[in-house]
Amino acid sequence: MSDCLFCKINSGEIPADILYQDDDVSVFRDISAQAPCHFLVIPKKHIATINHLQPADAGLLGKMYLTAQDVARQQGISESGFRTVMNCNDDGGQTVYHIHLHVLGGRPMSWPPG
Ligand code: 5GP
Ligand code: ZN
């Protein structure tokens, strides 16, 4: 999608601190890190919100989590633990309308979220 920030990161048009990339997903550090380790896992395919997911996207969602697992291990936060979050629409706190899995670690996370 031409005016989507994360599609532009996927294509390389906008730079990012890329941690991993393949045909299906990109992983890069969040520009405004909320934890010592905070990265985003996004699909190459433009999907605006969780509400737009189709049954055919189930495998892609699974791949996003398996990629989060791999990168979390590489970043050294697997054993200490981490939080994964995917926000949806206004009340969920979504600001970029291309789905992304936040992965946050390197400090204890509180619950419930504010
Ligand atoms: P949301 O609020 O939609 O769940 O998360 C969007 C995330 O994208 C935010 O944590 C924000 O800091 C991050 N973000 C916004 N613009 C950019 C950017 O240009 N580069 C990177 N790396 N992260 C961004
Ligand atoms: Zn997009």
Side-chain angles (χ1 to χ4, degrees):
M1 200 183 162
S2 59
D3 62 347
C4 170
L5 173 65
F6 283 179
C7 282
K8 289 179 179 172
I9 287 179
N10 271 332
S11 69
E13 189 179 339
I14 290 179
D17 187 353
I18 303 281
L19 299 174
Y20 177 79
Q21 212 162 25
D22 65 21
D23 288 345
D24 301 315
V25 297
S26 296
V27 184
F28 53 92
R29 292 192 192 280
D30 195 295
I31 204 166
S32 176
Q34 301 301 311
C37 180
H38 183 181
F39 60 85
L40 305 174
V41 182
I42 73 171
K44 288 279 172 79
K45 177 182 176 184
H46 179 86
I47 302 170
T49 78
I50 292 173
N51 292 334
H52 294 80
L53 285 166
Q54 303 291 323
D57 298 319
L60 181 58
L61 261 289
K63 174 145 186 188
M64 288 171 67
Y65 273 92
L66 290 169
T67 303
Q69 179 196 73
D70 281 345
V71 178
R73 191 182 304 111
Q74 287 162 18
Q75 293 296 311
I77 59 171
S78 295
E79 295 308 317
S80 51
F82 55 89
R83 173 76 49 85
T84 58
V85 178
M86 191 181 290
N87 298 322
C88 182
N89 281 343
D90 284 349
D91 281 0
Q94 186 172 8
T95 59
V96 178
Y97 282 78
H98 177 132
I99 60 166
H100 46 282
L101 187 63
H102 293 261
V103 181
L104 303 109
R107 68 168 173 81
M109 301 292 150
S110 59
W111 189 263

